[in-house]
Amino acid sequence: PKNEIINSKSNVFTLLNHSLRRFIAQFKFQLTVFSSIFIGNVPFEAFTGPIGIGSIILQSINSSFLVFLYTFCIINISIGIINLLPLPGLDGGQMIIAVINKLIGYKITLRWVRLLERMTLIVFFILLVKITLLDIEKYLLYISETTL
């Protein structure tokens, strides 16, 4: 974002058009990244969790306000894409259940939906713990390298 200078005399429509084009480009990039993750082209160690995200946010705040806003937008787009995954408990899962109910005419019971949501939550929690432990390991490695 530093190399993009927005003219303060631009009208609202020009700014909205620019923002929309940047959002679409970032959304496409995020979809490419997520598809690479699911295909298996990205190693698990490349993930970052809450500690890594906090570090990235602090680095962006120390850089400039525009970099912080850009980073914040990227994080929000990523969370939005994850929320659209067709997994129970996420909005994408709710859409899949609604489509199944409408197209097939088979009503998935609330009991099964809740069971699937709990299973998804357990998997997400296990992934969160594993990624957080990787974050701690990366942080401790960084500390040990910088103190040498």
Side-chain angles (χ1 to χ4, degrees), residues 3 6 12 22 47 64 75 92 100-103 107 109 121 124-125 134 141:
N3 61 356
I6 299 174
V12 173
R22 293 291 300 156
F47 288 93
S64 75
I75 291 170
I100 289 172
N101 287 340
K102 188 72 172 173
L103 291 179
K107 179 78 172 149
T109 63
L121 182 63
F124 272 139
F125 184 73
L134 280 172
L141 182 63

Side-chain angles (χ1 to χ4, degrees), residues 48-62 67-68 71 75:
T48 189
I51 295 171
I53 292 172
S55 172
I56 291 168
I57 290 172
L58 285 176
Q59 289 173 8
S60 70
I61 288 172
N62 290 334
V67 172
F68 167 71
T71 304
I75 291 170

Side-chain angles (χ1 to χ4, degrees), residues 62-110:
N62 290 334
S63 179
S64 75
F65 183 69
L66 283 177
V67 172
F68 167 71
L69 282 179
Y70 188 75
T71 304
F72 189 74
C73 289
I74 289 172
I75 291 170
N76 278 302
I77 291 170
S78 299
I79 291 170
I81 291 172
I82 289 171
N83 194 34
L84 289 175
L85 292 175
L87 299 171
L90 301 177
D91 288 344
Q94 299 300 322
M95 290 187 292
I96 294 296
I97 291 170
V99 167
I100 289 172
N101 287 340
K102 188 72 172 173
L103 291 179
I104 299 175
Y106 177 76
K107 179 78 172 149
I108 300 174
T109 63
L110 187 59

